[in-house]
Amino acid sequence: MTKILIFCLTLILISGCNQVQKRVDSAADAETKKLEKFLNKSEEFLKTELGVPDEEILDSDNKRILVFYDSKYKIKCERRFEVDLKNTVVAFSSRNCF
């Protein structure tokens, strides 16, 4: 009887973890789709949509990285956009954003 109870509890925990992972994956997909609209667009379009960047970094290839921070549920969200010499967004990354 104890083995059956432990087995059932284990199944419930695994099922719960799968649900959380599905929600995280769904939020990450939505974030990616949201940020993909900025690819190959101008820096001005990006700034119009997201506002003034919180930080601007110049990398070794003379590409600029525009960093935008946001906070939701006390979790710091960071979005980075790489802008080439033609002021076009060529890449992005997102961390802790949902």
Side-chain angles (χ1 to χ4, degrees):
M1 185 69 164
T2 304
K3 289 181 181 182
I4 293 173
L5 182 61
I6 291 173
F7 179 74
C8 289
L9 288 174
T10 303
L11 284 178
I12 291 170
L13 288 173
I14 290 172
S15 173
C17 291
N18 286 337
Q19 289 297 331
V20 170
Q21 187 60 46
K22 285 179 185 178
R23 288 183 183 177
V24 168
D25 291 344
S26 174
D29 289 344
E31 174 74 6
T32 299
K33 286 179 184 177
K34 176 182 171 182
L35 299 182
E36 281 178 340
K37 76 177 184 177
F38 297 111
L39 286 177
N40 301 314
K41 302 288 192 217
S42 71
E43 176 183 349
E44 287 304 314
F45 177 73
L46 175 68
K47 288 181 177 179
T48 300
E49 294 291 313
L50 297 181
V52 178
D54 296 300
E55 190 176 350
E56 189 170 325
I57 303 166
L58 186 63
D59 73 0
S60 60
D61 298 331
N62 287 328
K63 292 181 182 174
R64 290 179 298 121
I65 309 295
L66 303 179
V67 184
F68 297 85
Y69 296 109
D70 195 8
S71 184
K72 189 174 185 180
Y73 305 117
K74 297 190 178 187
I75 297 173
K76 189 174 184 180
C77 163
E78 177 184 280
R79 294 180 178 105
R80 291 177 173 246
F81 295 90
E82 184 178 322
V83 178
D84 66 6
L85 296 174
K86 297 177 184 176
N87 293 328
T88 302
V89 177
V90 294
F92 67 86
S93 66
S94 174
R95 187 171 62 192
N96 297 330
C97 302
F98 51 91

